[in-house]
Every structure is written in structure tokens, then in C-alpha cells.
Amino acid sequence: MNKPEQRVLIALRKMIAAGELAAGERVFEVTVAQQLEVSRTPVRLAFRTLEQEGLLVQHGGRGYQVRQVSAEDVAGAVQVRGVLEGLAARQAAERGLSAVDLEVLEDCLARGDALFTKGHLTDEDLQAYDELNLRFHRVIVAASGNPAIAQALARLAHLPFASVAALMADSHDLAGEYRRFNFSHMQHHAIVDALANREATRAEALMSEHANATLRYARMFTQASERTRPR
């Protein structure tokens, strides 16, 4: 995924969750491109991805509109992902990580450390974290040796914010995002420690809790609906 598309994706997810783009609202390539100061190409690609994630639906065969999504929809999907990824971590710990998998996970930790050591984040850092976070989760799922988990997660990815790839961040509050993502990265360290030491129960609990941190997105939908509810 190119960086302009990734930036557009992150911004649009946040706008939908926060109610800045309301359920049923039409979205147009030209308007979004102008608002985010990018060309139409990354917007077009982002729209397609958001359709796959269940956040946009096609409107009359042309263009897209924002799908109606509730906090309960998001929470339910995220909780299921937490169970699946927790199971993947448990089974990976029971099997034991290969040297290659451990090396990849430790590389993810090192790259994350480099991002957070300077004490602040940039938009480019958020995009870099998105990439290493996706890599981190995929390695653990593969290390479980259970293809059914990957298949179930792939089906789940079509539900709003259920995919680990569905990163959402607020570029206007990078200080707050630094705290949130730094905490997430510290969870990565704990998960790798549990996996490397073959502590299956601990790895499962940590991974499930890590996934459930995305329930913050469900709270955003609740807050957005309360703001737009007629008085």
C-alpha cells in the first residue's frame, strides 16, 4: 500500500468513527481529495479498501456512501478477533517459535522502539507503526500452525474495525496517539516475552487483551451517535 493511500485510509476511518462522515452520507473522490490534499487515485483506492472493511457501501452502482455501523457491531467483531488472536498466541507458544519467527518479531520490536524513543510521533511514524503492527500480528497467527485461525480472521476482516489492518489515528492529537501506540508497543514486548518462554496461558491472555484495546473504536461510535442524536 502506498503512503498517500494509507494516510487517506487512516483519516477516513477516524472521520467515520467520529461521526464527521455520518451514516448514509455520500462520499466523493474529488471532495475527499481536496479536503486531504491528495490526488484522486489514493482516495479511489482507499474507498475500495473501506468497502472491503464494511465501512462504505456502493451507492446505486456509482460512488459510495457511509455504512450504518453501531458500537455493538464494532465491539462484537473486535471481541471475536481477540479470542481468535489469543488462541493463535496460545498455540504458537505451545508449539514454540521458530528462529525465523522470533527474529521477525524482535525486528518489529526494535523498529517500534526506534519510533517511540524520541518521545513523539509524526504522521509518517503512524504509517510505519501500521506496517510493523500488521507484520507482528500476521507472524503470530502463522506461528500458531492453525490455518483455520487465519481463515476465520480473513472472514472477520470484512466487518468494521475487526481487522488488525484497520488502524485509526487522530493526526490532530499526536501526543495522545503517542501514549496509545506506545502502550500498544509495550504490549508487543510482553507478548513476545511470553511466546519466547512458551508461556501459553500468559501469551493468550496478553494477546486477547491487546486485540481488545480496539474497543476504543466502539466507544467512539457511541460518542458520535450521542452527539448527533436529536434533542
Side-chain angles (χ1 to χ4, degrees):
M1 182 184 299
N2 59 55
K3 290 186 176 181
E5 181 193 351
Q6 191 177 35
R7 181 166 71 85
V8 172
L9 269 173
I10 292 172
L12 287 174
R13 289 188 190 115
K14 190 264 179 182
M15 293 167 71
I16 292 171
E20 296 171 36
L21 291 173
E25 183 173 343
R26 294 282 305 278
V27 289
F28 301 96
E29 288 180 16
V30 173
T31 304
V32 173
Q34 292 174 343
Q35 184 177 359
L36 299 180
E37 299 181 339
V38 295
S39 69
R40 292 178 61 178
T41 299
V43 176
R44 184 180 309 116
L45 295 172
F47 281 180
R48 292 173 184 169
T49 300
L50 291 170
E51 181 186 18
Q52 294 171 355
E53 293 178 2
L55 290 174
L56 294 181
V57 293
Q58 289 203 20
H59 180 82
R62 296 187 62 186
Y64 294 92
Q65 68 183 89
V66 180
R67 177 183 169 188
Q68 177 72 49
V69 178
S70 70
E72 291 76 14
D73 294 333
V74 178
V78 169
Q79 287 165 349
V80 172
R81 177 163 72 86
V83 171
L84 290 170
E85 291 197 330
L87 176 61
R90 167 181 278 280
Q91 295 185 342
E94 290 172 344
R95 296 180 77 222
L97 292 175
S98 69
V100 172
D101 286 342
L102 182 57
E103 182 179 357
V104 172
L105 292 174
E106 289 179 339
D107 180 67
C108 289
L109 296 181
R111 291 175 183 272
D113 289 344
L115 290 176
F116 294 105
T117 295
K118 62 183 182 295
H120 67 275
L121 290 177
T122 65
D123 286 334
E124 290 72 23
D125 292 334
L126 289 174
Q127 294 166 14
Y129 182 81
D130 184 23
E131 294 170 358
L132 74 85
N133 183 59
L134 183 59
R135 187 182 181 206
F136 181 91
H137 283 254
R138 284 178 172 169
V139 168
I140 293 173
V141 171
S144 73
N146 187 344
I149 296 176
Q151 292 166 7
L153 286 169
R155 289 193 292 271
L156 197 67
H158 296 292
L159 299 177
F161 293 108
S163 171
V164 68
L167 176 71
M168 184 173 67
D170 187 351
S171 60
H172 299 294
D173 182 23
L174 289 176
E177 298 296 24
Y178 173 86
R179 292 189 295 271
R180 181 164 72 93
F181 287 111
N182 187 43
F183 177 74
S184 177
H185 183 61
M186 291 301 100
Q187 288 180 315
H188 283 185
H189 274 277
I191 290 165
V192 172
D193 180 74
L195 291 170
N197 288 290
R198 304 190 70 168
E199 298 171 345
T201 301
R202 177 171 171 244
E204 180 176 27
L206 287 169
M207 194 68 175
S208 181
E209 172 61 26
H210 179 60
N212 283 335
T214 314
L215 289 172
R216 168 181 181 267
Y217 298 168
R219 292 193 293 273
M220 288 189 69
F221 274 97
T222 300
Q223 293 164 359
S225 63
E226 288 176 349
R227 286 195 300 269
T228 57
R229 185 179 301 151
R231 300 293 180 180

